[in-house]
Amino acid sequence: MLEQRQKLAVIGWIVLSAVITTVGVIHVLIDPRLHYEIKETVNNYELLVAQNESSALPLDELPADEESVLLNMTDFKLIINNEVCRTASAQGSPLILAFVHSAPKNLKLRNLIRSTWGQELTTIFLLGETTPALQEAIETENSLHHDIVQGNFIDSYRNLTYKHVMGFKWASYHCPGAKYLLKTDDDVFVNVLFLRKFIESKLSPTGARKLILCDIQVTVVQRSFRSKWRVSPKEYSKNWYPQICKGWAILYSPDVSFQLYHIARKAPFFWIDDIYVSGILAPMLNVSLSSVYPFAIQRDKLSGLLSKPYIESQDDFLFGYPGDLITEMNSLWKIVKNTTRYFESSQQNETIVQ
């Protein structure tokens, strides 16, 4: 009888544990707070001034076989390359190098960036390998614009980490003098005017160290087979990711970009680049993520902004959320240019009065 009760007790504990585990899993799956944003952080980056402005990258620390290595690839090479920083070197090192993640088919989005904010920054578009027909079109496009960097990995969601780290590699070797590196996507609007003002007033035009500036969130691991971002427990065992950057707009200092590229060879591969770079590699370097508010314009404020001739200070923003401003990008770009002219005119008038 005692033995039977012990068996029943054991079975009871097993059932109870199973229920608790199931409830926990269901909670993770249906919890509406599948992610939460972090508005304020303690900033641990360093700003450079004239006395300590040297930010030379220690390229000599890299192994001899480094040119052909990208993460776990040992046969890496650039199919298309353009030395946009050397072309622009007559004006000095760029303040901002923008490397834009783009899908091979997204010619219209690349042209939209070229005709708007991309013309104000040193900009490259990062691509992977594609079909022969698309490849021919990309080579024709590149012959016109000379701003594409293409690696020999298949362009796909599962290979976004290769693309992100290729941006670090390219910047380290081909644009080491850039003061800041902006990683963004081809459906994002960059308010170049406010970004420059932000760097001049809140950061430093000379550069920074230990900087990863982005929109920060903590998010749940997707387990649904219907999600393109599904990750199996074998790939990532925890239910929540650590603090990560939303990957559509991240501002790096070049020292961090180089260190992330360097340490990526030693870290296990993970295919979601936002999580791999900011959630796995950055903690390995003891580099904190920093945030700023307002980082991006809210959709409900967009119509009011588009009705104004220029952007007022209370409406300042750095970026437009991915996909939000594609149809309005040209209109918004005209307002940004008008705002630039307005402030330049105001400053001239102030100088005359003084």
Side-chain angles (χ1 to χ4, degrees), residues 319-336:
F319 306 101
Y321 282 111
D324 265 8
L325 303 179
I326 291 175
T327 56
E328 296 94 348
M329 198 175 288
N330 280 314
S331 299
L332 193 54
W333 178 241
K334 290 178 182 177
I335 295 174
V336 169

Side-chain angles (χ1 to χ4, degrees), residues 116-117 120 189-197 305-306 308-312 315-318 325 328-344:
T116 56
W117 64 263
E120 294 295 322
F189 182 83
V190 179
N191 184 351
V192 178
L193 170 64
F194 186 52
L195 181 58
R196 286 180 177 148
K197 283 171 55 181
L305 181 61
L306 290 171
K308 298 177 181 179
Y310 56 85
I311 302 172
E312 298 175 350
D315 297 321
D316 276 344
F317 66 96
L318 289 170
L325 303 179
E328 296 94 348
M329 198 175 288
N330 280 314
S331 299
L332 193 54
W333 178 241
K334 290 178 182 177
I335 295 174
V336 169
K337 290 175 69 176
N338 288 341
T339 306
T340 304
R341 296 191 195 100
Y342 172 79
F343 281 109
E344 287 176 350

Side-chain angles (χ1 to χ4, degrees), residues 11 13 31 40 52 60 65 84 108 143 167-168 176 198 209 213 226 240 243 253 280 301 307 311 338 349 353:
I11 292 171
W13 275 113
D31 188 346
E40 297 181 2
N52 65 343
D60 56 347
D65 65 346
V84 297
K108 289 184 179 180
S143 67
F168 294 152
F198 175 79
R209 293 193 184 103
L213 185 74
R226 291 177 291 181
W240 289 82
Q243 284 190 18
S253 57
I280 297 175
K301 294 184 178 180
S307 66
I311 302 172
N338 288 341
N349 291 335
V353 170

Side-chain angles (χ1 to χ4, degrees), residues 71-226:
L71 295 166
N72 53 11
M73 292 178 64
T74 57
D75 59 347
F76 172 75
K77 65 179 180 180
L78 293 175
I79 301 170
I80 296 177
N81 187 30
N82 288 280
E83 299 291 354
V84 297
C85 290
R86 292 179 187 175
T87 303
S89 61
Q91 289 80 36
S93 298
L95 177 65
I96 305 165
L97 166 68
F99 58 94
V100 183
H101 281 206
S102 186
K105 64 180 181 179
N106 290 353
L107 171 61
K108 289 184 179 180
L109 292 180
R110 291 191 290 275
N111 280 340
L112 190 56
I113 289 174
R114 290 179 180 120
S115 64
T116 56
W117 64 263
Q119 62 185 269
E120 294 295 322
L121 300 178
T122 301
T123 304
I124 59 170
F125 296 94
L126 302 183
L127 280 69
E129 284 189 316
T130 185
T131 63
L134 264 178
Q135 184 63 33
E136 184 177 350
I138 287 169
E139 289 173 1
T140 300
E141 175 189 354
N142 185 63
S143 67
L144 293 173
H145 301 287
H146 307 288
D147 57 4
I148 289 174
V149 173
Q150 185 182 31
N152 65 329
F153 50 86
I154 301 299
D155 198 295
S156 69
Y157 279 114
R158 301 289 302 193
N159 285 341
L160 284 173
T161 292
Y162 289 108
K163 188 177 287 187
H164 203 140
V165 178
M166 180 177 74
F168 294 152
K169 182 183 182 82
W170 190 92
S172 297
Y173 279 100
H174 300 276
C175 200
K179 307 302 182 187
Y180 296 92
L181 309 178
L182 172 64
K183 181 272 169 183
T184 189
D185 294 338
D186 61 10
D187 58 352
V188 171
F189 182 83
V190 179
N191 184 351
V192 178
L193 170 64
F194 186 52
L195 181 58
R196 286 180 177 148
K197 283 171 55 181
F198 175 79
I199 287 175
E200 291 170 1
S201 61
K202 303 297 184 181
L203 298 177
S204 167
T206 309
R209 293 193 184 103
K210 301 180 181 179
L211 175 70
I212 303 178
L213 185 74
C214 60
D215 202 3
I216 304 173
Q217 70 175 9
V218 175
T219 187
V220 71
V221 179
Q222 296 293 325
R223 302 295 190 199
S224 171
F225 283 92
R226 291 177 291 181

Side-chain angles (χ1 to χ4, degrees), residues 192-302:
V192 178
L193 170 64
F194 186 52
L195 181 58
R196 286 180 177 148
K197 283 171 55 181
F198 175 79
I199 287 175
E200 291 170 1
S201 61
K202 303 297 184 181
L203 298 177
S204 167
T206 309
R209 293 193 184 103
K210 301 180 181 179
L211 175 70
I212 303 178
L213 185 74
C214 60
D215 202 3
I216 304 173
Q217 70 175 9
V218 175
T219 187
V220 71
V221 179
Q222 296 293 325
R223 302 295 190 199
S224 171
F225 283 92
R226 291 177 291 181
S227 173
K228 69 180 181 182
W229 303 114
R230 180 186 184 274
V231 171
S232 70
K234 184 177 180 181
E235 291 176 297
Y236 196 89
S237 60
K238 298 178 181 179
N239 286 325
W240 289 82
Y241 294 118
Q243 284 190 18
I244 62 167
C245 288
K246 296 180 182 178
W248 47 268
I250 307 173
L251 192 67
Y252 296 101
S253 57
D255 65 309
V256 169
S257 169
F258 174 79
Q259 291 166 17
L260 288 169
Y261 164 64
H262 195 188
I263 202 171
R265 284 187 67 166
K266 306 171 185 177
F269 180 84
F270 189 74
W271 63 276
I272 303 178
D273 62 318
D274 311 351
I275 294 154
Y276 183 69
V277 171
S278 60
I280 297 175
L281 297 186
M284 291 174 66
L285 297 171
N286 292 318
V287 175
S288 302
L289 310 182
S290 299
S291 64
V292 62
Y293 187 81
F295 193 78
I297 186 171
Q298 301 298 318
R299 185 73 193 180
D300 58 357
K301 294 184 178 180
L302 182 59

